[in-house]
Amino acid sequence: LRCTPAHPSIYPHTLTFTLHWPCRSATSNSSMHLSRGVSLPLLALVLLGVAASWSSPVDALKVIGAGLPRTGTATTKKALEILGFGPCYHMFVILEGGRSEDISTFVNASKGQEVDFRRVYKDFNSAVDFPTAMYYKELMELYPEAKVVLTVRKVEDWHESVRTTIREFSRPGSLTRSAFALSPYMTHFLELADSIWNVFFEGRIEDREWAIGKYHSWVAEVKRSVPAEKLLVFDVREGWEPLCKFLGVPVPQERFPDENSGAEVRLHLWLAKGGIVLAPAIVALAAFFLVRGLYRLVSPTPSKPKPSADRQQKKNE
């Protein structure tokens, strides 16, 4: 593709684009070309449109999750991404690292400070789980075209799952929390976790009756606050049908996902605890063998004693 001025004295704002391509046939091996004059203002508009289509960033959430953690939010995240509403923001995104600014944003929001949620979600099409769900009202104002998905499950199962999984990771005095404290990033993350347990759950998540009441009041509040046509109350056991109908997309061929089950999280927790307990012993054992090896390396090898003259004479006899 070659661009040259076309009659600059007559049409000063016009460029000629010449496209060359090889034309090979049984009777020809020559090149052909096509020239076309294009107005510069028109060209600028076309190029801007192409650039926008290639590089336009995600700038608006299309789906906002208002469900509490451990209500199938990881499964919903995966389902939304399969349906084309990814990437989806989830607590996993924070745990993967590199989101210190997000952590500070959510901690400050829990204190009632004004924050920039658009910065947090600028690269995402959807968002579920905590801390997102805590601020679904603010996000609805920022993204008025977004739809809201309220994930739900049997409340007694929900509380047991929270108590034995995610709460255990950050419980004060727990082994996992002590391990988290060894990392500056995870120490920062614990500030976010504490803001969830102490502000949203008012430090009472262990109180089963209170927590169940909080669950019911939250579900009722979301139903009151979100217009019915923009709200889907969703149990992940229902599968693709209600979610796809709500979002106006076809049901995919692949199986509905099943992510981050309670048993899976408890296994990870057990492995983490086992690793924390065994780590000092493993380090001590490794240090022992290292010191032993170094000692043998630097210590002189003892030489065999020379036989006495009498013993040598008897040996010769």
Side-chain angles (χ1 to χ4, degrees), residues 23-30:
C23 178
R24 303 183 185 277
S25 66
T27 59
S28 173
N29 194 30
S30 61

Side-chain angles (χ1 to χ4, degrees), residues 1-8 11-20 33-41 43-44 47:
L1 180 65
R2 184 173 64 211
C3 175
T4 56
H7 308 290
Y11 306 110
H13 301 295
T14 302
L15 296 177
T16 294
F17 287 83
T18 305
L19 179 63
H20 292 265
H33 72 274
L34 175 66
S35 299
R36 182 76 176 177
V38 180
S39 167
L40 283 179
L43 173 64
L47 293 178

